[in-house]
């Protein structure tokens, strides 16, 4: 178990709008869990807190790290300021090892780079392939029903083949462009084609 923490300020949103996005994202995750059985890492909804001097100096900024590249972790400058508001949210620890999957070219490159190492940790290969196929089918079904999830689709996969959906806030953040129906269908087809390629590669490697 751990906590997500961040300033109450989105990239394109005011503090009030970002808090609404966080609350709405948690509600969406719980709804999708109930309606479709998806997995995610959330344990509780977000909490709005005021940062004390002790929290900023002794806890939040001291333990603040971010991923700078695929290989290195770099310390951030202090982002939590005493007297300001922030959100925290209790979450499950991400499974380790895990594999990151998405629809974009950059995520496909990351998949190719990391798949071999990840696959070497899978003990029940046939069981993984069956489970992975089941959860990929579920993901495509959910995206058809909830088109906003196609925007920057991303999941983590554990070594048993279970998918964990990430970053539901993408369904509520402001977009730079309007998406018409034909563009949505084109993106969906492209996304599904990429996911199909990933699924076939995983199953082929693990069942040969």
């Amino acid at each position: 178990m751990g906590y997500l923490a961040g300033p109450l300020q989105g990239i394109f949103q005011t503090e009030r709008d970002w808090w609404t996005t966080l609350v709405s994202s948690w509600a969406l995750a719980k709804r999708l869990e109930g309606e479709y059985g998806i997995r995610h890492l959330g344990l509780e909804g977000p909490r709005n807190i005021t940062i004390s001097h002790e929290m900023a100096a002794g806890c939040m900024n001291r333990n603040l790290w971010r991923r700078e590249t695929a290989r290195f972790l770099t310390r951030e400058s202090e982002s939590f300021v005493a007297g300001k508001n922030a959100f925290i949210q209790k979450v499950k620890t991400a499974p380790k090892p895990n594999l990151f999957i998405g629809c974009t070219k950059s995520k496909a490159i990351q998949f190719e780079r990391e798949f071999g190492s990840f696959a070497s940790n899978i003990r029940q290969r046939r069981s993984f392939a069956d489970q992975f196929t089941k959860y990929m089918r579920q993901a495509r079904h959910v995206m058809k029903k909830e088109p906003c999830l196609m925007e920057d689709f991303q999941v983590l996969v554990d070594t048993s083949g279970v998918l964990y959906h990430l970053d539901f806030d993408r369904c509520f953040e402001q977009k730079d462009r309007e998406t018409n129906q034909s563009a949505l269908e084109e993106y969906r087809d492209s996304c599904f084609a990429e996911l199909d390629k990933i699924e076939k590669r995983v199953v082929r490697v693990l069942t040969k």
Side-chain angles (χ1 to χ4, degrees), residues 68-150:
E68 179 67 25
T69 69
R71 297 180 59 192
F72 301 103
L73 292 175
T74 304
R75 191 66 177 269
E76 279 214 70
S77 59
E78 292 189 358
S79 293
F80 296 101
V81 179
K84 297 289 187 179
N85 284 0
F87 80 88
I88 59 171
Q89 184 172 8
K90 187 184 291 187
V91 295
K92 302 172 188 173
T93 304
K96 292 184 179 180
N98 62 61
L99 186 64
F100 188 69
I101 289 178
C103 294
T104 63
K105 183 177 180 180
S106 62
K107 291 183 176 66
I109 292 171
Q110 181 178 351
F111 167 81
E112 288 296 337
R113 184 174 61 239
E114 298 178 355
F115 175 57
S117 175
F118 173 78
S120 67
N121 290 284
I122 299 171
R123 299 292 173 259
Q124 303 294 327
R125 295 166 76 90
R126 170 62 71 173
S127 174
F128 176 96
D130 292 343
Q131 188 92 306
F132 181 72
T133 298
K134 170 186 143 183
Y135 276 95
M136 288 290 278
R137 186 184 309 118
Q138 178 198 67
R140 285 188 286 266
H141 173 69
V142 173
M143 281 194 284
K144 288 178 181 178
K145 297 293 186 179
E146 310 283 344
C148 72
L149 294 175
M150 284 187 288

Side-chain angles (χ1 to χ4, degrees), residues 140-197:
R140 285 188 286 266
H141 173 69
V142 173
M143 281 194 284
K144 288 178 181 178
K145 297 293 186 179
E146 310 283 344
C148 72
L149 294 175
M150 284 187 288
E151 184 76 26
D152 195 25
F153 172 76
Q154 48 192 300
V155 292
L156 287 180
V157 188
D158 68 16
T159 52
S160 67
V162 174
L163 270 61
Y164 298 85
H165 291 251
L166 306 171
D167 293 350
F168 297 96
D169 56 284
R170 66 189 188 273
C171 284
F172 304 98
E173 289 184 318
Q174 296 176 15
K175 303 297 189 297
D176 292 332
R177 57 179 174 79
E178 294 183 1
T179 304
N180 59 39
Q181 187 61 32
S182 61
L184 185 63
E185 291 175 358
E186 182 179 351
Y187 182 79
R188 182 191 65 197
D189 293 344
S190 173
C191 180
F192 283 10
E194 186 61 43
L195 295 181
D196 286 344
K197 283 169 50 181

Side-chain angles (χ1 to χ4, degrees), residues 3-94:
Y3 288 89
L4 293 177
L8 274 178
Q9 181 70 45
I11 297 175
F12 302 112
Q13 296 175 303
T14 66
E15 180 173 310
R16 180 178 179 181
D17 289 340
W18 182 232
W19 174 248
T20 300
T21 292
L22 293 170
V23 173
S24 299
S25 299
W26 171 245
L28 176 61
K30 294 300 291 181
R31 180 173 69 79
L32 297 179
E33 180 183 18
E35 291 185 16
Y36 305 107
I38 71 158
R39 301 286 189 93
H40 56 85
L41 299 177
L43 289 172
E44 294 180 355
R47 292 167 51 200
N48 185 340
I49 64 169
T50 300
I51 304 168
S52 68
H53 288 281
E54 292 76 16
M55 291 171 64
C59 176
M60 299 181 86
N61 285 319
R62 180 180 297 175
N63 296 301
L64 183 63
W65 298 82
R66 64 181 170 86
R67 182 176 291 273
E68 179 67 25
T69 69
R71 297 180 59 192
F72 301 103
L73 292 175
T74 304
R75 191 66 177 269
E76 279 214 70
S77 59
E78 292 189 358
S79 293
F80 296 101
V81 179
K84 297 289 187 179
N85 284 0
F87 80 88
I88 59 171
Q89 184 172 8
K90 187 184 291 187
V91 295
K92 302 172 188 173
T93 304

